[in-house]
Amino acid sequence: MLHTRQSPNSSRIRFRLLADRSAKIMFGAAALFGIVIMGILLVRITSEGLSWLSLDFLTGRFSTTPERAGIMGAVLGTFWLLAVVVPVTMLVGIGSAVYLELYSKNGKIRTFIQTNIGNLAGVPSIVFGILGLTVFVRALGFGSVVLAGGLTLSLLILPIVIVSAQEALRSVPHQLGDASYALGASKWQTIQSVILPVALPSILTGAILALSRAIGETAPLVVLGIPALLIPFPGGILDRFTVLPMQIYYWTLDAALVADYAHLAAAASIVLLISLFLLNGSAIYLRNKYTIKA
Amino acid sequence: MTTLTNYRPATRLRVVAQTEAPAAIFTTEGLNVWYGDTHALKNIDLTIYENEVTAIIGPSGCGKSTYLKTLNRMVETDPAVRIDGTAKFKETDLLHATVERLRSEVGMVFQKPNPFPKSIYDNVAYGPKLHGIRKKAMLDDIVESSLKKAALWDEVKDRLSSSAFGLSGGQQQRLCIARSLAIEPSVLLMDEPTSALDPVSTNKVEELIGELKKDVSIVIVTHNMQQAARISDRTAFFLHGEVVEYGQTEAIFERPSSHLTDDYVNGRFG
Ligand SMILES: Nc1ncnc2c1ncn2[C@@H]1O[C@H](COP(=O)(O)OP(=O)(O)O)[C@@H](O)[C@H]1O
Ligand SMILES: [Mg+2]
């Protein structure tokens, strides 16, 4: 570019400046689009649902009478679901990532597993629902209970948890591992007391983002036969349950029959969105707070 | 390698210069190391002596770090590495020893200070804890004495529980030395330990090495000729994966027998 042979062509320059300016406008519009949609969504659900949001709504049992309906059952359902999903995905997710990053040799088997995990991450969630229905609900005979739903959702998010945990482990400076090995530490001692603690905040960040996906899922649960409307509260992982997205889904469908259901759906959406924002916020907080230099 | 004609076996030199030989701490014979196809060390015969400071000098890429990392088997962290020949630590065949045990006797300090993202205290206590020391009082003692040996105690005694990352580069390097000393190794391998430090910190580390050699044998790789001349008792000059000359530091610097050594120590290449 330094050795331009012809004199600069002024119309071309003008064209380039124009292209530059329109690119800026286009990208700005694209970014704005997201914000506008978000705004419309928030305005719509708050205007429909905010006045229906009350302590009674949060702590109440499900009811077909809109004025008496509450979401506590669904909230407890999510709680028990997480009681299955969190330990399963953390143990299996971190375990697989540690194995793949720190133990397995760079061989064919590893490439095979890695490719598989990549593919699984792209499988539509409803397919995981079918898998869960076949294996957990029917073959293992759990029925449509928390355990079956939790294991299905665990499978759904595991690929994401594994890949993000692998990235977290990979980003631990190798000098730290070297320092530990040079002191006579075994591999497991090094992983346990140096590598995992350093990687943990990013592993958790990835896991929380994946969990927030699990919490918002509906499709696989529909396939598993999870009811949308359930009066008893679940008291453990072997109980039948429902979750907020399911309840929102049915309230929205039935709004044609009972108009107030639309308000309930909106109010429940506000609760769901706030929980997801809180989860994502905590993930960002973790990432910023504990990112280690060196 | 036509230029190696002037090479005379280092052993002869040593017989002249040294009347009573100290005990050997490392003996390598016919030691070869490959990284895949790269032949990094070629038939290294070298004896390193107890309670001395041995300097390894030579231009970049000549195999200094590889040699050092073979002595505590850290080379093996690269799966492509292949080692052949014999290497002994005192009387044990180190190439077939349990690495965890070998490394608790042979400590290492790296080029770039690499403290753990933990407190100053926990950095030093890390090694002793690994090797099974749990009693708080005992750990306290070890931390204090190691930091004293590394000439860092006075600077950090009031903030043992604060992060090691808050220390300056020179302090971090001395912390890494303290961390190595905490498991009472008989050897300390140092790979260009001052190359990332400012002159004042370098000076402190050099003084420290002079102090430490009473208790531990030190093998130090350095790029800095003056440093090798100042602090070492014996010097090995490596070139292209081979030892060109090895002997008393004074002899290497003042009466080198190979013109290659002469050229290198006088800065005519490197
Ligand atoms: N991990 C590695 N993989 C492949 N080649 C390496 C590796 N480490 C060092 N080498 C090669 O081995 C030779 C010796 O390297 P090294 O011991 O690091 O030299 P020095 O410390 O003297 O600079 C060099 O040619 C270098 O490129
Ligand atoms: Mg080196």
Side-chain angles (χ1 to χ4, degrees):
Chain A
M1 267 214 278
L2 283 174
H3 36 84
T4 331
R5 268 162 288 144
Q6 298 128 342
S7 64
N9 180 330
S10 68
S11 79
R12 281 199 85 152
I13 289 185
R14 229 178 306 136
F15 175 76
R16 267 165 31 201
L17 287 177
L18 192 68
D20 191 46
R21 204 159 331 128
S22 34
K24 186 177 163 186
I25 292 170
M26 260 167 51
F27 290 125
L32 204 62
F33 181 74
I35 297 171
V36 169
I37 295 291
M38 189 75 198
I40 293 173
L41 184 78
L42 286 179
V43 167
R44 201 180 123 74
I45 64 167
T46 45
S47 68
E48 289 220 356
L50 200 58
S51 57
W52 285 71
L53 207 55
S54 65
L55 200 61
D56 284 345
F57 178 72
L58 292 176
T59 57
R61 241 172 243 279
F62 172 75
S63 161
T64 46
T65 317
E67 287 73 23
R68 295 198 0 234
I71 56 169
M72 194 60 190
V75 170
L76 284 173
T78 298
F79 170 81
W80 286 113
L81 202 61
L82 287 179
V84 173
V85 177
V86 171
V88 170
T89 51
M90 290 312 276
L91 283 177
V92 181
I94 297 179
S96 317
V98 165
Y99 175 76
L100 287 171
E101 278 310 302
L102 302 165
Y103 283 98
S104 72
K105 305 257 185 302
N106 277 321
K108 282 207 179 81
I109 297 179
R110 190 195 142 137
T111 316
F112 178 73
I113 298 178
Q114 197 72 63
T115 314
N116 252 312
I117 292 174
N119 288 338
L120 280 177
V123 171
S125 61
I126 196 145
V127 178
F128 280 95
I130 296 168
L131 176 77
L133 180 69
T134 321
V135 178
F136 303 125
V137 177
R138 300 220 176 113
L140 296 177
F142 296 158
S144 304
V145 298
V146 175
L147 185 59
L151 291 175
T152 306
L153 291 181
S154 298
L155 289 182
L156 173 72
I157 64 169
L158 260 175
I160 314 171
V161 176
I162 294 173
V163 170
S164 74
Q166 277 184 282
E167 271 160 22
L169 291 171
R170 221 175 294 144
S171 67
V172 176
H174 73 87
Q175 288 90 336
L176 296 180
D178 285 350
S180 172
Y181 291 125
L183 287 164
S186 66
K187 189 155 193 164
W188 173 235
Q189 284 175 316
T190 302
I191 291 172
Q192 197 189 4
S193 35
V194 177
I195 299 179
L196 275 182
V198 174
L200 203 59
S202 344
I203 292 179
L204 288 181
T205 302
I208 292 173
L209 293 176
L211 281 180
S212 74
R213 171 157 181 220
I215 290 176
E217 272 297 340
T218 330
L221 298 180
V222 173
V223 179
L224 289 183
I226 304 304
L229 315 170
L230 189 70
I231 294 172
F233 286 167
I237 61 170
L238 294 176
D239 287 350
R240 289 171 61 76
F241 74 109
T242 189
V243 291
L244 272 185
M246 294 287 294
Q247 211 160 326
I248 293 170
Y249 174 57
Y250 278 93
W251 272 333
T252 309
L253 277 187
D254 288 354
L257 307 174
V258 183
D260 279 345
Y261 281 176
H263 298 295
L264 292 176
S269 298
I270 294 175
V271 175
L272 184 62
L273 278 181
I274 289 176
S275 335
L276 294 182
F277 287 158
L278 285 179
L279 267 181
N280 290 357
S282 65
I284 292 167
Y285 173 80
L286 261 179
R287 184 169 53 208
N288 293 342
K289 173 119 198 255
Y290 292 102
T291 304
I292 284 170
K293 49 185 191 316
Chain B
M1 289 304 310
T2 53
T3 41
L4 280 179
T5 45
N6 253 352
Y7 172 59
R8 260 188 269 141
T11 40
R12 197 183 306 157
L13 225 164
R14 199 170 59 239
V15 173
V16 177
Q18 185 82 25
T19 41
E20 54 171 311
I25 190 128
F26 289 113
T27 320
T28 55
E29 280 165 17
L31 182 71
N32 285 282
V33 176
W34 290 265
Y35 294 98
D37 295 330
T38 312
H39 197 172
L41 290 180
K42 299 165 189 162
N43 282 312
I44 308 288
D45 298 329
L46 214 56
T47 304
I48 290 170
Y49 297 95
E50 212 161 19
N51 292 86
E52 287 193 353
V53 175
T54 307
I56 298 180
I57 60 170
S60 210
C62 68
K64 306 181 295 297
S65 298
T66 304
Y67 185 70
L68 206 64
K69 286 190 290 180
T70 306
L71 298 180
N72 67 347
R73 308 248 311 267
M74 283 293 287
V75 267
E76 290 169 23
T77 51
D78 185 331
V81 160
R82 209 151 46 79
I83 309 177
D84 178 79
T86 60
K88 284 198 298 188
F89 166 65
K90 292 179 180 168
E91 290 307 312
T92 58
D93 170 5
L94 73 83
L95 294 178
H96 297 95
T98 312
V99 286
E100 288 81 3
R101 198 167 304 149
L102 173 69
R103 290 172 191 160
S104 64
E105 282 289 318
V106 182
M108 179 167 241
V109 175
F110 297 79
Q111 183 165 356
K112 198 172 154 243
N114 57 353
F116 298 125
K118 298 174 188 284
S119 70
I120 293 170
Y121 184 99
D122 287 339
N123 263 278
V124 184
Y126 183 84
K129 278 186 190 160
L130 282 182
H131 297 286
I133 297 177
R134 288 272 170 272
K135 282 214 191 75
K136 179 84 171 73
M138 205 159 172
L139 288 172
D140 288 350
D141 283 349
I142 294 175
V143 168
E144 179 171 345
S145 68
S146 308
L147 285 168
K148 279 181 176 159
K149 282 187 216 157
L152 190 59
W153 175 250
D154 291 332
E155 290 157 67
V156 301
K157 62 172 186 268
D158 300 321
R159 46 168 172 156
L160 291 177
S161 57
S162 53
S163 167
F165 285 176
L167 299 174
S168 73
Q171 289 173 323
Q172 288 189 6
Q173 193 61 305
R174 278 179 286 142
L175 178 66
C176 293
I177 294 174
R179 182 175 64 185
S180 301
L181 293 174
I183 51 173
E184 302 192 334
S186 41
V187 192
L188 215 47
L189 307 175
M190 305 178 120
D191 194 350
E192 305 192 30
T194 61
S195 67
L197 306 184
D198 59 84
V200 176
S201 306
T202 298
N203 211 348
K204 279 194 181 151
V205 171
E206 285 185 11
E207 274 173 24
L208 183 56
I209 290 172
E211 283 292 310
L212 290 175
K213 83 179 211 189
K214 282 179 239 151
D215 304 314
V216 290
S217 316
I218 291 171
V219 188
I220 179 170
V221 168
T222 176
H223 241 109
N224 179 332
M225 289 312 109
Q226 285 79 29
Q227 182 169 69
R230 270 196 304 268
I231 64 175
S232 72
D233 301 298
R234 229 173 273 263
T235 297
F237 172 50
F238 277 55
L239 189 62
H240 303 303
E242 297 179 79
V243 180
V244 174
E245 193 166 346
Y246 178 48
Q248 302 271 327
T249 297
E250 211 186 290
I252 295 283
F253 281 86
E254 281 159 27
R255 307 176 296 280
S257 38
S258 157
H259 75 269
L260 287 170
T261 314
D262 197 18
D263 287 350
Y264 184 72
V265 299
N266 290 301
R268 285 192 284 274
F269 78 98

